[in-house]
Amino acid sequence: MLVLLAGLFVVHIATAIMLFVSTIANVWMVADYANASVGLWKNCTGGNCDGSLSYGNEDAIKAVQAFMILSIIFSIISLVVFVFQLFTMEKGNRFFLSGSTMLVCWLCILVGVSIYTHHYAHSDGNFNSSSHQGYCFILTWICFCFSFIIGILYMVLRKK
């Protein structure tokens, strides 16, 4: 049981770090024809990330930014609550609070990435049709899977 909790803790920390990286980095869409990428915050061309997004004032991208920041916050809150419950909770109880907080993180990731996928993945606003998803987009979907698994495992596990 101790090994399972330690492994879950490590995966949770890795998920929080991956969420942080995927939200900050500007590689959500990558152009095939040039050294250019688009993120949630800036447009990068030739290694220079000074360009602002052409659709930066749209409500959809602001919603994606907000939900990704919320997912980071809920992931960190869930981690702190898990550590607090680990040391203060009585034996035999389940980690309901940390699990439910992680599932809220999962929901924020789902909403944020779904909005981005619907509005901006392979749209003409990013690049021409010759573009593909960058590592941040893929990393966010991996965090989506990890946060769901972590949340469910927190709900199922009992402190022994």
Side-chain angles (χ1 to χ4, degrees), residues 70-97:
L70 280 174
S71 69
I72 294 170
I73 291 169
F74 281 117
S75 177
I76 292 171
I77 288 172
S78 177
L79 189 63
V80 169
V81 167
F82 172 70
V83 170
F84 180 73
Q85 283 182 326
L86 193 61
F87 292 112
T88 61
M89 192 169 56
E90 295 177 10
K91 291 184 178 185
N93 290 341
R94 295 180 191 255
F95 298 96
F96 281 123
L97 189 57

Side-chain angles (χ1 to χ4, degrees), residues 45-59:
T45 306
N48 185 9
C49 292
D50 291 336
S52 62
L53 294 172
S54 60
Y55 48 83
N57 291 328
E58 292 182 13
D59 290 336

Side-chain angles (χ1 to χ4, degrees), residues 17-114:
I17 291 170
M18 289 188 299
L19 272 173
F20 192 72
V21 167
S22 67
T23 303
I24 289 178
N26 291 312
V27 193
W28 280 63
M29 292 295 294
V30 178
D32 292 335
Y33 59 88
N35 187 13
S37 64
V38 173
L40 297 180
W41 311 99
K42 295 208 177 269
N43 185 3
C44 300
T45 306
N48 185 9
C49 292
D50 291 336
S52 62
L53 294 172
S54 60
Y55 48 83
N57 291 328
E58 292 182 13
D59 290 336
I61 194 67
K62 289 182 180 184
V64 173
Q65 292 169 346
F67 277 111
M68 292 308 296
I69 290 171
L70 280 174
S71 69
I72 294 170
I73 291 169
F74 281 117
S75 177
I76 292 171
I77 288 172
S78 177
L79 189 63
V80 169
V81 167
F82 172 70
V83 170
F84 180 73
Q85 283 182 326
L86 193 61
F87 292 112
T88 61
M89 192 169 56
E90 295 177 10
K91 291 184 178 185
N93 290 341
R94 295 180 191 255
F95 298 96
F96 281 123
L97 189 57
S98 55
S100 59
T101 311
M102 196 62 185
L103 289 177
V104 172
C105 167
W106 169 76
L107 187 64
C108 289
I109 296 170
L110 174 67
V111 172
V113 178
S114 297

